[in-house]
Each structure stands twice: as structure tokens, then as C-alpha cells.
């Protein structure tokens, strides 16, 4: 186990409440990298972790995706050291900031498998790149007009790419539906408005009660599940054939519509620059479609800079 000399770590931790934790040194394990976060997206995973609606491993550092600069790797991998990288929320069936410590700190250590891509001159919204790829991967699975369960950012992006493929997505939201309505999507206000038959159901948000009721009412033939919905159990009607697909891709090769997807939602995402990690505590749980924390000016010095 290697250590990053001369670095003190300061991270946000949730263990029933949010607090700041400081570590006098940082250890690197095999297969891991030391990252200096630049921008961090706080959205649905952070809402869910702090809501107490389902059990998670705690204590945990929030922050599921973003952009960071690689300071060091365990094996001195020169292909990524010094690079600005987009960090994916999902690797080896674990969601960053939920199943393992995330990005909300001055320096963090992550498995290198969370590297999504490299960017030369990052801008804040590029923190959402993996989510845009994931929404596109979900939309590629569609064959019919989908009913999307959830109104989080992933839900909205999935609706955007569904609409781009000339489908007519509709939404059922457990909570706030303003953003979906603002973008011109059809939103069912209550269960009574949902048609008796829905061929394709897309589960993008954690709401096991609503999911069960919708499945029981609509008898979908095709259910697409995102790992960011944290849905591991579905109660299906007996004697019915249902195709269930769990889409785990957060990187689609030859995909060139990231900027197009970001343009659709950019006005709904706040970008907030802070001058201290502690000031991020008031941003959790995030409101609306979430917030991008930008603190690239927070920490001016890393080793060899």
C-alpha cells in the first residue's frame, strides 16, 4: 500500500448526518488512483443516501460523478497521471458515493475502473457526461413509447434521447415533476391517468412501492432498469412473459451527442463554486435536478505542480 506524501485529506462524510472528516495521510491500494476533484455532480444518489429510505453502507463520502485531475496511481500509470478525467458513477456493480466513498473532498482515492474518459479543458457540465451516455444507452433499448418511472436528471435525459428517436415518452414521478413538464414531456399526475397497458417501462429512480403498483396496473412486456435506480427486486404478475434488461453501460462508443444532451438540461442544473469543502454541506440533499459543485480554485497545489 503506497501513500501520497505530504497530503492531508478533507472529505464530507455521511453517517446519519453530514460532517467533515480530516485524515493526516492518504493511502493508495493496488488498482487505485489519487484524484483531485475539480467538479462534482450532486443529484439523486445523494438525495437517496441522506433520505434514509433504504439502507446503505455508512459512513460514506458522497459524490457519484464528476471531473478530477489524477495526481498519482499505485503503479505510476503515466497514461492518466496529470490528466483531467471524467469519473463514471458505476464500476463492478458499485455506485460511487453510495457503495463506496465518492468524490466530495479535496483529494480522494478511487479504483482506476471509474475512469470514463479524459478531457483537456473541462467545463462544469462535462461532469454529467457518463449520465448522458447512460441515458442514450437506455434509449437505444426501446422499441415502443416508454413510460419512464422517475423525474430525476437521468429520467429526463432518457426522455430526451427517446424523443430524439421519435418515441413519445411519458413520465410518472414520485416527487417533483416540474422539470419534465417544463421540457414539454407528458407527465401523469396520478396512477389513474396511466393507460391500462404499457409495453415498455423504464425504471430510473428508486421508488419500490410506485414501481410495484405501476407494474401491477400496466403489465409491461419490457422493463428496462438502471443501476442508478437501486432497484434489485421486481414483483411481476404471474404467468406473464416479461423481458427485463438491466442497462449498465455508462460509455457508448462512437457516441457524439453528449453536447446535444447537455444543451437540453443545462438551464435546469445549477453550477455553484465554493471556496471551502465545508460549504458543500448545505447543498445536500440537492434540490431539483441537482447541482454541480465547482471547486477547482479551492486547492491550488498538488505535488509537482
Amino acid at each position: 500500500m503506497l501513500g501520497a506524501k505530504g497530503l492531508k485529506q478533507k472529505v464530507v462524510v455521511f453517517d446519519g448526518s453530514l460532517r467533515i472528516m480530516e485524515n493526516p495521510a492518504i493511502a493508495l491500494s493496488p488498482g487505485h488512483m489519487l484524484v483531485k476533484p475539480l467538479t462534482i455532480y450532486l443529484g439523486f444518489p445523494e438525495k437517496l443516501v441522506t433520505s434514509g429510505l433504504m439502507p446503505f453502507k455508512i459512513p460514506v463520502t458522497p459524490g457519484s460523478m464528476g471531473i478530477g485531475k489524477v495526481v498519482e496511481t499505485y503503479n505510476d500509470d503515466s497514461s492518466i497521471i496529470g490528466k483531467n478525467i471524467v469519473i463514471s458513477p458505476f464500476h463492478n456493480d458499485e455506485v460511487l458515493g453510495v457503495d463506496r466513498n465518492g468524490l466530495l473532498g479535496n483529494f480522494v482515492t478511487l479504483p482506476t475502473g471509474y475512469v470514463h474518459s479524459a478531457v483537456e479543458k473541462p467545463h462544469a457540465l462535462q461532469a454529467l457526461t457518463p449520465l448522458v451516455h447512460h441515458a442514450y444507452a437506455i434509449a437505444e433499448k426501446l422499441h415502443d413509447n416508454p413510460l419512464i418511472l422517475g423525474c430525476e436528471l437521468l429520467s429526463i435525459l432518457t426522455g430526451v434521447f427517446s424523443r430524439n428517436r421519435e418515441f413519445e415518452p411519458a413520465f410518472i414521478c414520485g416527487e417533483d415533476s416540474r422539470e419534465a413538464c417544463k421540457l414539454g414531456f407528458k407527465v401523469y399526475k396520478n396512477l389513474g391517468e396511466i393507460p391500462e397497458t404499457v409495453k415498455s417501462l423504464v425504471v430510473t429512480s428508486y421508488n419500490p412501492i410506485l414501481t410495484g403498483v405501476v407494474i401491477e396496473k400496466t403489465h409491461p412486456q419490457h422493463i428496462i432498469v438502471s443501476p442508478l435506480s437501486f432497484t434489485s427486486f421486481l414483483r411481476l404478475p404471474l404467468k406473464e412473459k416479461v423481458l427485463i434488461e438491466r442497462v449498465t453501460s455508462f460509455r457508448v462508443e462512437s457516441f457524439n451527442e453528449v453536447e446535444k444532451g447537455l444543451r437540453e438540461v443545462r438551464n435546469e442544473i445549477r453550477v455553484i463554486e465554493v471556496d471551502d469543502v465545508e460549504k458543500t454541506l448545505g447543498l445536500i440533499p440537492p434540490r431539483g435536478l441537482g447541482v454541480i459543485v465547482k471547486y477547482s480554485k479551492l486547492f491550488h497545489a498538488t505535488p509537482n505542480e
Side-chain angles (χ1 to χ4, degrees), residues 202-252:
V202 181
V203 184
T204 58
S205 183
Y206 179 78
N207 194 323
I209 295 176
L210 181 60
T211 302
V213 172
V214 169
I215 290 174
E216 184 177 357
K217 176 176 181 178
T218 62
H219 302 274
Q221 300 170 12
H222 185 198
I223 302 176
I224 301 171
V225 181
S226 165
L228 294 185
S229 73
F230 303 96
T231 299
S232 56
F233 174 80
L234 295 170
R235 187 183 299 276
L236 302 176
L238 294 175
K239 298 180 181 179
E240 291 190 13
K241 291 183 179 180
V242 181
L243 172 63
I244 300 175
E245 291 188 84
R246 188 169 185 259
V247 178
T248 59
S249 174
F250 285 79
R251 180 172 175 79
V252 180

Side-chain angles (χ1 to χ4, degrees), residues 180-202:
C181 293
K182 193 183 298 184
L183 290 170
F185 290 112
K186 182 176 184 178
V187 179
Y188 295 119
K189 302 295 185 182
N190 56 66
L191 291 169
E193 295 180 356
I194 300 175
E196 291 295 328
T197 302
V198 171
K199 289 186 177 180
S200 294
L201 176 67
V202 181

Side-chain angles (χ1 to χ4, degrees), residues 31-33 73-75 77 80 85 91 110-116:
H32 284 61
M33 58 186 172
T73 66
Y74 183 86
N75 61 348
D77 184 354
I80 59 173
I85 58 166
H91 171 64
L110 306 170
T112 55
Y114 281 97
V115 175
H116 180 277

Side-chain angles (χ1 to χ4, degrees), residues 5-141:
K5 296 180 180 179
L7 293 182
K8 294 183 179 181
Q9 186 184 42
K10 186 177 184 181
V11 296
V12 175
V13 170
F14 179 77
D15 57 3
S17 61
L18 290 164
R19 61 185 175 87
I20 296 292
M21 184 170 72
E22 297 188 27
N23 299 313
I26 306 172
L28 271 181
S29 302
H32 284 61
M33 58 186 172
L34 176 67
V35 175
K36 172 187 174 182
L38 303 176
T39 61
I40 303 164
Y41 172 65
L42 302 175
F44 180 66
E46 289 70 35
K47 290 181 186 178
L48 193 56
V49 166
T50 56
S51 70
L53 292 177
M54 68 177 289
F56 292 108
K57 299 174 184 177
I58 55 173
V60 67
T61 294
S64 57
M65 70 191 83
I67 299 173
K69 184 169 186 176
V70 180
V71 177
E72 186 179 342
T73 66
Y74 183 86
N75 61 348
D76 294 325
D77 184 354
S78 60
S79 68
I80 59 173
I81 291 177
K83 300 286 182 64
N84 295 321
I85 58 166
V86 178
I87 298 163
S88 174
F90 188 73
H91 171 64
N92 278 354
D93 266 344
E94 290 187 321
V95 176
L96 205 59
V98 178
D99 300 309
R100 65 161 54 243
N101 287 332
L103 299 174
L104 207 51
N106 61 343
F107 294 101
V108 298
T109 60
L110 306 170
T112 55
Y114 281 97
V115 175
H116 180 277
S117 53
V119 286
E120 287 189 13
K121 297 180 180 179
H123 60 79
L125 282 173
Q126 285 177 315
L128 304 175
T129 299
L131 207 61
V132 177
H133 275 249
H134 186 49
Y136 183 85
I138 291 173
E140 278 193 315
K141 297 288 185 180

